[in-house]
Amino acid sequence: MSDFVSSFWSYFISAIALGGIVWCVWLLFSQRAWLKKTVAQAEDTGHVWDGDLTELNNPVPRWWTVMYLLLCAFALAYLWLYPGLGTYKGWLGFSSADQVRSEQAALAERIRPVYERYTQMPIDQIASDAEARAIGQRLFLNSCAQCHGSDARGGPSFPNLTDADWLHGGEPEQIEQSIAKGRHGLMPPWKGTISPSEASDIAQYVRSLSGLAADALRVVPGKRGFDTYCVACHGAEGKGNPMLGAPNLTDNVWLHGSSEASIVNIILNGKENVMPAQERNLTPEQIRLLTAWVWGLSRQGGTAQASR
């Protein structure tokens, strides 16, 4: 109900919930009374199927009526005890959000001893600890593999965490910030400013920055377009900006594809990527171990790679 700013919706929902129960009770008694007056005993409706399956018209059985009345009574009791009538919080004050938070707190307290030895340990030491790596890998598989893959090598639009290329920086503090707070990457669309032919020239220049095949005649006008529209984020040399999450365009690492068509599409239509924050799903201790495991993936000869 927090999304509805008018109290009308609270009354509207309450009216539907209570009105449905009242209507059900009225229907039970009105139809039972009508059938008693019009149907003294079972009568043939004239509908026969398969030669011998006859439909009869019978009064509603008393047990059936009592069953539905008990269900209506249960519904009223539920709406009184629990939130179900708009903004009414229920006599018990139950909240599913509070229940989840309580269960999360209880779980965090139960598993706290597992993480105690790592709270003051430096990240590089955690990344070298076999038990910590095992815990970090399980956390990764539960919380991160859906996007980055079980081998952490990512895929189209999802970063590879095993190389040394980092959009927002690869130091432990930066990785921990990314995991805990999430990231929001945004490449603005330029189709209102840049024509498709200009975007194609810029794509040729960008491909040349990372050593890919490019049309030398179009690289020159492409550089002019790049200097006009792209340097603010990607830098004069195209090496990117970790503060903005702007990728390095000179390292031949491509998150969304390196073909001219892919680059032109991103220039004209933009691209938005969201890394969801995990601070509500993981404890600070869990995030620390996960940080160490991810950080260790890109270390040359790192011990975290041996666990994969």
Side-chain angles (χ1 to χ4, degrees), residues 102-272:
S102 175
E103 292 174 354
Q104 287 178 329
L107 175 62
E109 188 62 31
R110 191 163 65 250
I111 64 177
R112 188 179 302 280
V114 177
Y115 299 96
E116 280 182 345
R117 60 174 292 210
Y118 305 111
T119 55
Q120 302 300 323
M121 187 182 295
I123 291 294
D124 58 338
Q125 292 184 22
I126 296 177
S128 302
D129 185 281
E131 182 180 351
R133 292 200 309 272
I135 297 173
Q137 186 177 40
R138 287 196 293 270
L139 290 170
F140 179 87
L141 292 174
N142 288 335
S143 303
C144 314
Q146 296 87 339
C147 295
H148 295 284
S150 59
D151 59 358
R153 295 186 181 276
S157 298
F158 297 103
N160 181 353
L161 303 179
T162 66
D163 57 23
D165 187 77
W166 298 90
L167 288 176
H168 299 275
E171 295 303 317
E173 298 78 11
Q174 296 163 327
I175 298 174
E176 186 171 7
Q177 176 78 4
S178 296
I179 296 173
K181 302 296 183 181
R183 297 290 185 180
H184 187 182
L186 178 63
M187 161 74 180
W190 288 96
K191 61 183 176 183
T193 305
I194 300 176
S195 68
S197 61
E198 289 177 306
S200 182
D201 290 341
I202 294 173
Q204 289 296 318
Y205 174 70
V206 169
R207 283 174 56 84
S208 73
L209 290 176
S210 57
L212 297 176
D215 187 333
L217 295 177
R218 296 168 61 193
V219 165
V220 175
K223 184 180 186 310
R224 287 198 297 268
F226 183 89
D227 291 342
T228 301
Y229 303 109
C230 310
V231 295
C233 294
H234 295 282
E237 298 179 351
K239 293 186 179 296
N241 186 344
M243 297 294 294
L244 301 175
N248 182 352
L249 304 177
T250 68
D251 57 7
N252 201 22
V253 176
W254 299 89
L255 191 58
H256 306 288
S258 61
S259 68
E260 179 182 343
S262 298
I263 299 172
V264 168
N265 178 62
I266 292 178
I267 293 173
L268 296 179
N269 300 310
K271 181 65 70 171
E272 184 175 11

Side-chain angles (χ1 to χ4, degrees), residues 59-81:
V60 178
R62 183 182 298 276
W63 68 264
W64 192 87
T65 302
V66 171
M67 179 187 69
Y68 267 84
L69 288 175
L70 290 175
L71 290 175
C72 290
F74 173 82
L76 289 172
Y78 181 91
L79 292 174
W80 173 61
L81 293 172

Side-chain angles (χ1 to χ4, degrees), residues 19-81:
I21 297 173
V22 172
W23 178 82
C24 184
V25 173
W26 171 83
L27 184 66
L28 286 171
F29 282 97
S30 63
Q31 295 304 301
R32 184 176 178 84
W34 178 77
L35 287 172
K36 278 187 175 181
K37 293 178 181 178
T38 57
V39 183
Q41 57 184 1
E43 62 179 21
D44 192 339
T45 63
H47 299 157
V48 180
W49 290 271
D50 298 331
D52 60 353
L53 184 59
T54 303
E55 180 184 356
L56 302 178
N57 193 6
N58 285 301
V60 178
R62 183 182 298 276
W63 68 264
W64 192 87
T65 302
V66 171
M67 179 187 69
Y68 267 84
L69 288 175
L70 290 175
L71 290 175
C72 290
F74 173 82
L76 289 172
Y78 181 91
L79 292 174
W80 173 61
L81 293 172

